[in-house]
Amino acid sequence: MASRLGALVCVACVAALAACTTSPQASRPSAQVVSELAPSGTMRAAINVGNPVLATMNTATGQPEGISVDLARELAKRLGVPVSFVIYNAAGKVTAGVQAQQWDVGFVGIDPERAEYMDYTPPYVIIQGVYMVPQDSKINTNADVDRAGVRIAISGGSVYDLYLSRRIKNAQLVRAPAPSLVTDMMLTQHYEVAAGVKQRLAADVARLPGLRLLDGNFMVIRQAMATPRNRPEATRYLTQFVEEMKSSGFVAASLQRHHVDSAEVAPAETAPQ
């Protein structure tokens, strides 16, 4: 009897320790949180189907699906409000959308320039920005790209466009209106390099002959949830929500369910970045 009681006490201690060391669960949302995340009574979620890591359109149903859609639905369920999806085909259009007050919750790559218009949570996934070149290109490393005469096709307004705009000194960035048009623009205009999210460019390499990815990446993209600026209670709640979604396995399960293998769950953080 004593040994059994001791075992139960031990189990209780382990459970208590685990509760102290895991990320805090998102508390029950206050009326202020609900008001900031769904001021119209419906939570408007910006969904970028131009980034296949985040979302794609299901051609059979005509509805978006992916990790950002799953997170938006789970969040709306906790808030007790309906969700509507505001669909964009490029990240730059998501940024323009927040300026036009078109959405309440977004899913974007963290960048200091975007912080003028929105507040971020910690990241929930990490993805890679990579370069793609023709198979016979003499460009073989990421360091070879930033040279005079090299033209880089890129999706305008994307987080990797913002990043490279600050760092490229010699090559020229040539902007397409959406990620889906970058490879076609590179090929038809005979540009030397394309830049983008690894999953999209890897899919282009698989379906089109004569292309290859450069090894490694030129940046790591920290993908976060966001709200329009000056909604502090919403940002605090979303921070807890994101940390719980990572620690509970929700994010990992969603990535697996949607067959996303070029992204990883972001490590735990304790405060928005």
Side-chain angles (χ1 to χ4, degrees), residues 5-119:
L5 179 60
L8 290 173
V9 171
C10 183
V11 168
C13 291
V14 170
L17 180 61
C20 293
T21 57
T22 56
S23 300
Q25 287 194 340
S27 58
R28 186 184 180 119
S30 66
Q32 182 64 29
V33 167
V34 176
S35 175
E36 291 183 7
L37 288 173
S40 68
T42 295
M43 190 188 81
R44 300 171 301 166
I47 303 297
N48 175 18
V49 296
N51 183 342
V53 172
L54 304 183
T56 58
M57 291 299 293
N58 185 313
T59 55
T61 65
Q63 296 297 312
E65 57 185 26
I67 175 64
S68 58
V69 176
D70 291 350
L71 286 169
R73 286 191 171 126
E74 178 64 20
L75 176 61
K77 182 174 72 174
R78 294 183 180 212
L79 297 178
V81 298
V83 59
S84 67
F85 299 122
V86 186
I87 307 299
Y88 300 93
N89 66 357
K93 296 178 181 178
V94 176
T95 302
V98 75
Q99 296 175 64
Q101 301 181 352
Q102 294 173 348
W103 54 263
D104 306 305
V105 176
F107 299 84
V108 295
I110 295 174
D111 186 88
E113 291 186 38
R114 291 176 176 169
E116 180 180 352
Y117 308 107
M118 62 188 82
D119 292 319

Side-chain angles (χ1 to χ4, degrees), residues 18 200 208:
R200 177 173 288 281
L208 296 169

